[in-house]
Amino acid sequence: MIWNEKIECASLDQMQALQLAKLQETVAWVYDRVPFYRNKFDSMGLKPDDVKSLEDLAKLPLTVKTDLRDNYPFGLCAVPMDDVVKIHASSGTTGKPITGPYTADDINQWRECVARNLHAAGVFKKDIVQVAYGYGLFTGGLGLQGGCDLIGCATIPASSGMTERQVTIMRDFGSTVLCCTPSYALTIAEKAADMGVDIRELPLRVGVFGAEPWTVEMRQEIEERMGIRAHEVYGLTELMGPSVSFDCQQQDGFMHINEDHVLAEVIDPVTEEVLPLGEKGELVFTAIQRRAMPLLRYRTRDITELRRETCSCGRTLLKMKKVLGRSDDMLIISGVNVFPSQVESILLEVPEVEPQYVLIIRKKGYLDALSVDVEAKAEVYDQGEEKLQAVEKRIEGKIRGTIGIGVKVRLVPPKSIERSEGKAKRVFDARKL
Ligand code: ADP
Ligand code: K
Ligand code: ZN
């Protein structure tokens, strides 16, 4: 199940020697080729030679999302277009898209990272892999495809959408692996049930899900509905795309980072100080393998913590905790910090509701008020108003008891919440309307 034992199980000394060499090479690479970085270094009085140990990483300038926007589209590209073989871009939910150029070798390295991810999930060349991430500018579809190609899987480039067809393909082709966002996996599971197809009876065995936050409870729900083992993929366009990190058979809520490709740090988002292993903060990555656009100390806004241990799977690769939200997703309700995933965890424990919900933030006087719409199961909805109110009150009580905020919960009719085909939109901010 280990694709590249030499790297994935390397000793700390070996890994750090490799990392330092690659970091030094990368710093010199961007200093020579990217005016943005050269100017930053010059204004800080830094020279590439100042990086003498991995500790010196902390001296380097941070890169933020707006730096990518300000240098849109190719200002941070470190190679001429001659050497670029592919350009992806993120959905750019907020403003201009983020561009990701790759050299031929960057693409090969990316495929290697995805192959490690798939192998850790128990995917082999005998597998029939249905890739239901979007193919296109989004890195998900083609990214997963690349890893499948390297392993030699029989890949079905289904892309996302046309859910009925996904189910038909899964049944007729006998897909053994499904790759998509967790919210789309749920959509597929539901569609299958509507079509009278029991996925648990099909050959499907493994899911490789990611690109959005999902709770452990959601993972268990999907595993149960599909009769599979659901594994995880994490990544971002700025750092290459999927498989920056991945979980293993241990499924302990942590993911192994491909740390021969990216150096990970966790910082205090306010002071920008590097935090010790085990402390929660903002994840920062330095790309030490990429050549087309190696970002230094890129602030992901994803909240996590790091852990260094030899995993029971045998890998020594640094671990990061499952990301349950970006700092951007954090809501402040009556002075309490809340991540949507905390509400998700609670809702998934309630037997009367479906795992389909949206959070709505409204202004209530000077304060922000949160309400939660969640779908009732059909048989519950049919029991009428009194039953619904009782369940609503119970969920409100659970949320107050666990998160410490008062919310209004509303059970809405089955199938009334829009289904996701990619990244689910679960928060609506009515203050901005
Ligand atoms: P966009 O920023 O437009 O959503 P990306 O596809 O590059 O485009 O999104 C990367 C982000 O998606 C990550 O920074 C992270 O917030 C989220 N993400 C990706 N994989 C996971 C995962 N497994 N768990 C939680 N969040 C994830
Ligand atoms: K094959
Ligand atoms: Zn492991």
Side-chain angles (χ1 to χ4, degrees), residues 65 89-94 98 138-140 209-214 232-238 241 245 255 300-302 322-326 329 423:
K65 210 174 198 118
S90 88
S91 38
T93 18
T94 43
I98 300 287
F138 175 53
T139 54
F209 304 137
E212 66 181 0
W214 55 314
E232 178 145 16
V233 39
Y234 166 92
L236 56 162
T237 312
E238 297 90 315
S245 66
M255 294 180 285
T300 62
R301 308 197 215 187
D302 292 330
K322 202 168 161 38
V323 172
L324 288 177
R326 304 191 201 196
D329 301 334
K423 300 192 187 225

Side-chain angles (χ1 to χ4, degrees), residues 32-72:
D32 289 344
R33 291 169 176 81
V34 185
F36 168 81
Y37 280 122
R38 176 189 284 265
N39 294 338
K40 279 218 169 185
F41 274 60
D42 289 350
S43 72
M44 294 165 82
L46 264 179
K47 286 270 174 284
D49 285 351
D50 294 335
V51 179
K52 294 192 166 42
S53 71
L54 286 174
E55 284 72 57
D56 292 332
L57 180 63
K59 294 183 189 160
L60 303 182
L62 291 157
T63 309
V64 294
K65 210 174 198 118
T66 48
D67 293 330
L68 277 94
R69 301 235 164 86
D70 296 345
N71 291 283
Y72 172 83

Side-chain angles (χ1 to χ4, degrees), residues 61-213:
L62 291 157
T63 309
V64 294
K65 210 174 198 118
T66 48
D67 293 330
L68 277 94
R69 301 235 164 86
D70 296 345
N71 291 283
Y72 172 83
F74 302 123
L76 296 182
C77 190
V79 298
M81 271 307 148
D82 252 18
D83 296 334
V84 171
V85 299
K86 195 170 273 173
I87 301 163
H88 278 284
S90 88
S91 38
T93 18
T94 43
K96 288 181 198 160
I98 300 287
T99 41
Y102 306 75
T103 65
D105 194 53
D106 290 347
I107 295 284
N108 287 336
Q109 298 295 340
W110 184 16
R111 284 155 43 118
E112 154 86 19
C113 291
V114 180
R116 291 180 195 170
N117 193 153
L118 289 167
H119 230 49
V123 179
F124 300 95
K125 64 191 291 192
K126 68 172 194 299
D127 278 303
I128 302 178
V129 185
Q130 184 166 344
V131 179
Y133 282 110
Y135 277 61
L137 279 180
F138 175 53
T139 54
L142 285 160
L144 266 297
Q145 173 82 55
C148 290
D149 288 347
L150 191 58
I151 295 180
C153 307
T155 313
I156 309 167
S159 195
S160 64
M162 295 206 263
T163 309
E164 215 170 296
R165 194 182 67 173
Q166 301 278 359
V167 176
T168 311
I169 288 174
M170 184 181 289
R171 185 192 56 202
D172 296 352
F173 296 11
S175 311
T176 55
V177 180
L178 175 67
C179 305
C180 61
T181 59
S183 60
Y184 193 43
L186 259 189
T187 305
I188 294 174
E190 188 181 68
K191 179 64 81 181
D194 290 350
M195 292 164 68
V197 175
D198 186 352
I199 295 187
R200 285 167 302 188
E201 301 293 311
L202 301 182
L204 195 74
R205 203 182 76 242
V206 174
V208 182
F209 304 137
E212 66 181 0

Side-chain angles (χ1 to χ4, degrees), residues 363-389:
K363 200 117 214 114
K364 192 172 156 198
Y366 291 107
L367 292 175
D368 292 333
L370 180 66
S371 55
V372 179
D373 283 4
V374 56
E375 278 183 19
K377 288 211 170 117
E379 65 271 21
V380 175
Y381 199 76
D382 293 343
Q383 288 178 41
E385 203 49 44
E386 214 168 299
K387 168 75 183 172
L388 295 181
Q389 278 176 11

Side-chain angles (χ1 to χ4, degrees), residues 323-334:
V323 172
L324 288 177
R326 304 191 201 196
S327 53
D328 310 22
D329 301 334
M330 194 180 76
L331 311 171
I332 304 175
I333 306 296
S334 332

